[in-house]
């Protein structure tokens, strides 16, 4: 059955698509045109309370199903996502401003993979047994928590939303999920897919609305047992302050200011083409993009010349055209923030090597929010431009001489999410990897993801790890049972 591509988004509560109790709505924008193209619920605590109650009611039956039964539901959802690949990719592109080809190649297939991966991961997950000198044996149980919250941002809307929901569901929890109010459309389409998949009512509930209203009501709800949150560091700190005193389990995946460290002995061509992607894919709006490019001084000038030439050749255009390498910035507010960050960089003494300004496109995108990919040099590690997350198509270049200096520059940040290191000397690569303060390190590659690996940040980039067994553990309570053998 085809998805209903309605521009009026509804909440998905207790198995039904319903309007918000307060009948209040928010505008939904198309960033490529700057136009309002639909509405989404401006939900409040009444909607959240209904969703939490539905999740709690569904929990006993859902958690009593066998792992295989829950796995089958997830597989069905994965298949339906792939069956609707074109519609979902188009919806994601319109809602977010990202190129349609990118949504079709990366975002939507990955959303399906999140469900299919966890549908099999749960079947392979083993409990522990510890034998004590022949006298006692201990074994562990991993039990679901109950009603849990999953809150996600706008940059990879369906991809990150499902990355949380899939492990939460497969471990036997019931979920109240809130997508970003800036990109709600594919979460709405996921509701329809869950209905088509026959997911029992109340197992997944999706409440749309503002973070400060619907989101706040969700994290404050006393019957929510755990919060899996991906978003900004400031929001994460707020959620931690509210949730920690009432002892909710917390997983916080937050912001970054990732270093991309380039040594003179790297595979230069591979490094250059990958650095172009790691700087500007999805308009630089990926938490894993490298925004501080650190280059060994001996190749600095060559890199600068080649990189700037390649960046100038990147086509920023209508997200629906196949040759647009970059699309629109997600919202007017974020666009204005990025423009002000570029102004700040100039005020701090930065030299703009290319880009540095908004772009005015022709035709249907004339009122859209586009920014030219921007490269800046002449800034030290401690200025605001090199300290604060911009989360847009803006990178800086800094030169270093020695490995020690590279490490010091890489770690001169309050964030610690991801880092990329380019060198063909593997001993140096591994030394650097051990020293860089980041949860995720790519050596001579970028954004290669094995869903079994731990994913998360150090320092201000978050607390906890997602992925593989780490996610399964987060969404369960581990219980140890000790038995005498005699
Ligand atoms: P955000 O923190 O503004 O919002 C994220 C989500 O939290 C949204 O759904 C929002 O509605 C909700 N929210 C906001 N205030 C809330 C509150 N008081 N209570 C409950 N929920 C609330 O972040 P954003 O602007 O949507 O996303 C961009 C940020 O996300 C960047 O900092 C980026 O680095 C980060 N991010 C991190 C990762 C990662 O894996 N570490 C991945 C993607 C994005």
């Amino acid at each position: 059955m085809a998805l209903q591509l309605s521009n009026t988004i509804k909440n998905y509560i207790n198995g039904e698509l319903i309007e918000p109790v307060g009948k209040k709505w928010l505008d939904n924008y198309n960033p490529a045109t700057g136009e309002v193209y639909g509405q989404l619920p401006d939900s409040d605590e009444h909607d959240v309370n209904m969703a939490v109650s539905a999740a709690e009611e569904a929990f006993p039956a859902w958690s009593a199903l066998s792992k295989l039964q829950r796995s089958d539901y997830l597989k069905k959802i994965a298949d339906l996502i792939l069956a609707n690949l074109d519609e979902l990719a188009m919806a994601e592109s319109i809602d977010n401003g990202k190129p349609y080809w990118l949504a079709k190649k990366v975002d939507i297939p990955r959303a399906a993979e999140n469900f299919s991966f966890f549908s099999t991961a749960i079947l392979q997950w083993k409990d522990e047994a510890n034998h004590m000198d022949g006298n006692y044996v201990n074994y562990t149980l991993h039990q679901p928590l109950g009603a849990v919250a999953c809150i996600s941002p706008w940059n990879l809307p369906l991809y990150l939303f499902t990355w949380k929901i899939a492990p939460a569901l497969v471990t036997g929890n019931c979920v109240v999920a809130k997508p970003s109010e800036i990109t709600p459309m594919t979460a709405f389409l996921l509701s329809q897919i869950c209905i088509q998949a026959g997911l029992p009512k109340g197992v997944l509930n999706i409440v749309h609305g503002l973070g400060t209203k619907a989101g706040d009501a969700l994290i404050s709800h006393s019957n929510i047992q755990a919060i899996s949150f991906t978003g900004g560091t400031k929001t994460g700190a707020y959620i931690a302050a509210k949730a920690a005193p009432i002892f909710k389990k917390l997983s916080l995946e937050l912001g970054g200011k990732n270093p991309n460290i380039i040594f003179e002995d790297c595979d230069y061509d591979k490094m250059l083409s990958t650095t172009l992607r790691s700087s500007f894919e999805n308009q630089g709006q990926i938490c894993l993009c490298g925004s501080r490019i650190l280059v060994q001084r001996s190749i600095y000038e060559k890199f600068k010349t080649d990189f700037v030439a390649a960046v100038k050749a990147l086509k920023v255009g209508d997200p629906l055209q196949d040759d647009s390498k970059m699309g629109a910035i997600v919202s007017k507010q974020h666009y204005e923030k990025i423009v002000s960050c570029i102004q700040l960089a100039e005020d701090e003494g930065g030299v703009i090597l290319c880009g540095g300004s908004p772009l005015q496109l022709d035709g249907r995108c004339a009122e859209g929010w586009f920014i030219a990919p921007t490269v800046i040099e002449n800034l030290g590690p401690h200025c605001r431009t090199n300290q604060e997350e911009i989360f847009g198509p803006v990178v800086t270049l800094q030169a270093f001489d020695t490995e020690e200096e590279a490490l010091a520059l890489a770690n001169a940040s309050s964030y610690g999410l991801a880092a990329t290191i380019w060198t063909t000397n593997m001993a140096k690569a591994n030394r650097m990897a051990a020293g860089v303060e980041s949860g995720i390190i790519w050596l001579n590659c970028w954004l290669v993801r094995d869903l079994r690996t731990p994913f998360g940040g150090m320092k201000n980039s978050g607390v906890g790890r997602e992925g593989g067994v780490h996610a399964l553990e987060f969404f369960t309570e581990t219980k140890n049972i000790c038995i005498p053998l005699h």
Side-chain angles (χ1 to χ4, degrees), residues 348-362:
E348 290 186 308
V351 174
I352 311 276
L353 299 173
C354 62
S357 55
L359 281 178
Q360 170 85 47
L361 266 56
D362 295 331

Side-chain angles (χ1 to χ4, degrees), residues 151-156 160 178-182 209-212 215-216 219 229-233 235-236 238-239 253-256 287 389 391 417 455 461:
I151 302 178
S152 58
W154 48 257
N155 64 319
L156 301 167
L160 289 175
K178 198 199 85 61
S180 170
E181 60 273 34
I182 300 168
L210 298 170
T212 47
D216 209 67
I219 58 150
F229 170 80
T230 299
T233 295
T235 317
Y238 173 82
I239 292 175
E253 301 293 338
L254 311 176
C287 55
E389 185 182 44
F391 212 51
L417 185 57
F455 180 96
S461 292

